[in-house]
């Protein structure tokens, strides 16, 4: 480690800044933010820099830099474009044992400025030791997107309770457990949602409830999207990385499960068409049991939890037990698979509405209102319809949908194994019988399917990355 990261308290300390241009202005802005008294020295000083320092108990000296100006000074920065002047400032500061920074000259620095992520009181400094400021800035950009703005308010809230918590718990371990739960649980979530007052009340209530072990956990019902991990939301990812235990089903891709906290317990509760690994009641009960043990439980579902996901049922049973929960929407298969297959679900000329329908039938015809599904100018998307495809297609035709209406099967959409089969209502079932594209698969019916051919720029991408099966090509694919 070339440099030891330290945080310098500059409250009422004097910092000398030699130089009066843009770079000096940037440094002065930082110093002022840390409440330093800034003395700027240069022949020419930007008016806004003069104003900044003078308004913050500092001083602007227009004229020649002199070594004596470093008397009783705590920090020195040289930000001029005059190399020999910069060197002189460096020497004068070193001779007086004052920390010095010469902008963009790591060799002349006894300390360096990191790239800063400011969520005061939480502050993160990133440094590459002067080797690559661009790398530090890129890292800072990543951190900026990763750390919610609410961390600043969360930090302040913790500050308000710090002494009280200290008094309440005798051991460091108990204190740490309490803070870990607080900072990663409901209190933090409330702050992120902008409900600071409720967060403070809850924190107080948790603290008064003495034994932190007896606190109820929380359930996160999260949509994990259709497969491609890049389609996760930031919120999904954040909750995935803080949950203690993960219950996921077969629609959630391996790559997505891999993004969950490494040391979280991962439980497969998959439901496949004929084989219910854990029945729905059992899943509901598991969620309750784990939450009552104080765990943060992630219920990770494919696509969106409220679209053919039975998310509502799981929440009802949590409500009965007063277990707190949050729901995070995910990108549903209809949206993702159609996009990745180059099929827009609506189009000014061809479809003014979309219907999302389950293709799972209890008995052959009565469940679905086909009369509604055959309207022109709409796209119909069938979930869970792969095994009933012949019945669906035949019924749509019988109820008046033209037999030449385009239809597509998108199998394992958005994953590396995505395949797309294009046909018409008349032949799509037969084509699928030959191609045998595997589940999960989505069926899209409507004129918009034809646009897939026209969106060649996108079609190409699908062809290369996702194994598109073109209408006449599937025979050779098999
Ligand atoms: N909640 C999920 C849907 C669950 S129902 C969502 O919002 O997407 C299960 C059905 O979703 C499957 O039978 C299939 O029709 C569809 N599905 C889910 N993921 C899919 C994928 N990656 N590719 C194609 N179809 C998918």
């Amino acid at each position: 480690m070339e440099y030891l990261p330290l945080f310098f308290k500059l409250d009422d300390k004097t910092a000398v800044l030699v130089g009066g241009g843009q770079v000096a202005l940037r440094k002065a802005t930082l110093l002022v933010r840390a409440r330093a008294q800034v003395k700027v020295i240069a022949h020419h000083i930007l008016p806004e820099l003069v104003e900044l320092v003078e308004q913050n108990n500092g001083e602007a000296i227009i004229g020649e830099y002199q070594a004596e100006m470093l008397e009783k000074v705590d920090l020195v920065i040289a930000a001029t474009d005059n190399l020999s002047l910069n060197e002189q400032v460096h020497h004068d500061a070193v001779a007086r044992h004052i920390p010095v920074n010469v902008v963009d000259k790591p060799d002349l620095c006894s300390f360096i400025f990191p790239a800063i992520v400011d969520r005061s009181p939480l502050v993160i400094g990133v440094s590459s030791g002067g080797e690559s400021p661009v790398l530090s800035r890129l890292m800072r950009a990543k951190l900026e997107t990763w750390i919610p703005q609410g961390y600043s308010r969360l930090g302040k809230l913790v500050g308000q309770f710090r002494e009280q918590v200290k008094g309440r718990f005798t051991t460091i371990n108990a204190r740490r457990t309490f803070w870990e739960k607080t900072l990663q649980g409901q209190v933090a979530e409330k702050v992120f949602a902008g409900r600071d007052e409720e967060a403070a009340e809850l924190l107080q209530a948790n603290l008064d409830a003495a034994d932190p072990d007896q606190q109820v956990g929380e359930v996160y019902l999260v949509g994990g999207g259709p497969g491609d991990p890049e389609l996760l939301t930031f919120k999904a990812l954040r909750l995935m990385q803080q949950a203690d235990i993960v219950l996921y089903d077969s629609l959630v891709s391996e790559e997505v499960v891999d993004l969950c906290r490494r040391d979280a317990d991962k439980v497969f509760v998959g439901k496949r068409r004929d084989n219910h690994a854990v029945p729905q009641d059992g899943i509901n009960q598991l969620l309750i049991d784990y939450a009552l043990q104080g765990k943060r439980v992630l219920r990770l579902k494919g696509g969106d939890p409220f679209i053919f996901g039975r998310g509502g049922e799981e929440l009802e049973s949590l409500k009965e037990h007063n277990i707190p929960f949050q729901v995070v929407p995910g990108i549903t298969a209809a949206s993702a698979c159609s996009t990745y297959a180059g099929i827009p679900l609506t189009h000014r000329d061809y479809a003014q509405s979309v219907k999302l329908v389950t293709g799972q039938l209890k008995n052959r015809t009565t469940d679905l209102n086909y009369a509604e599904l055959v309207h022109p100018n709409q796209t119909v998307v069938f979930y869970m319809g792969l095994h009933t495809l012949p019945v669906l297609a035949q019924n749509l035709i019988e109820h008046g949908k033209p037999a030449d209406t385009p239809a597509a099967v998108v199998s394992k959409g958005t994953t590396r194994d995505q395949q797309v089969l294009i046909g018409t209502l008349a032949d799509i079932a037969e084509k699928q019988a030959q191609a045998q594209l595997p589940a999960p698969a989505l069926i899209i019916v409507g004129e918009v399917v034809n646009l897939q051919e026209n969106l060649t720029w996108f079609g190409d991408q699908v062809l290369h990355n996702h194994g598109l099966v073109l209408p006449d090509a599937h025979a050779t694919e098999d």
Side-chain angles (χ1 to χ4, degrees), residues 238-416:
R238 183 165 58 74
L239 296 178
M240 284 161 67
Q241 293 190 342
Q242 73 180 33
D244 302 307
I245 184 157
V246 182
L247 275 65
Y248 66 100
D249 44 63
S250 40
L251 281 177
V252 183
S253 71
E254 234 172 86
E255 289 100 318
V256 170
V257 176
D258 280 349
L259 288 171
C260 292
R261 206 175 103 196
R262 218 156 276 273
D263 57 346
D265 291 331
K266 301 184 185 88
V267 185
F268 177 70
V269 291
K271 278 178 286 182
R272 301 213 161 83
R273 207 171 58 90
D274 306 316
N275 161 28
H276 285 223
V278 180
Q280 187 64 49
D281 286 350
I283 296 175
N284 297 353
Q285 194 56 48
L286 281 179
L287 294 176
I288 294 164
D289 292 347
Y290 288 127
L292 289 177
Q293 289 168 20
K295 293 200 160 80
R296 288 159 298 170
V297 190
L298 177 76
R299 175 69 178 112
L300 189 56
K301 289 187 162 272
D304 182 284
F306 280 176
I307 295 182
F308 303 123
R310 303 187 75 170
E313 295 167 43
E314 292 175 11
L315 296 188
E316 275 167 29
S317 67
L318 294 174
K319 262 200 122 148
E320 281 167 22
H321 289 79
N322 282 328
I323 292 167
F325 60 80
Q326 329 187 22
V327 188
V328 181
I331 295 189
T332 190
S335 172
C337 297
S338 59
T339 302
Y340 274 49
I343 302 170
L345 289 181
T346 67
H347 187 283
R348 263 173 77 92
D349 300 330
Y350 306 109
Q352 284 83 47
S353 66
V354 188
K355 277 210 164 73
L356 308 186
V357 185
T358 169
Q360 212 172 32
L361 306 180
K362 293 213 175 77
N363 54 54
R364 278 176 61 87
T365 53
T366 48
D367 286 295
L368 289 177
N369 184 346
Y370 285 102
E372 255 188 23
L373 302 182
V374 298
H375 288 317
N377 296 321
Q378 74 173 350
T379 306
V380 181
V381 182
F382 291 98
Y383 285 68
M384 298 171 279
L386 194 59
H387 297 273
T388 50
L389 179 56
V391 182
L392 298 173
Q394 189 194 338
N395 270 292
L396 288 172
I397 295 171
E398 279 172 11
H399 283 79
K401 196 82 185 162
D404 62 356
T405 307
V409 176
V410 184
S411 159
K412 299 196 167 179
T414 80
T415 70
R416 295 243 140 240

Side-chain angles (χ1 to χ4, degrees), residues 436-448:
Q436 294 282 323
L437 300 193
L442 202 73
I443 295 147
I444 305 173
V445 178
E447 297 299 324
V448 289

Side-chain angles (χ1 to χ4, degrees), residues 18-38:
V18 185
Q22 284 298 343
V23 181
L25 177 62
R26 280 206 296 277
K27 296 296 177 207
T29 307
L30 276 177
L31 293 168
V32 161
R33 246 160 76 186
R35 292 192 291 276
Q37 293 183 357
V38 183

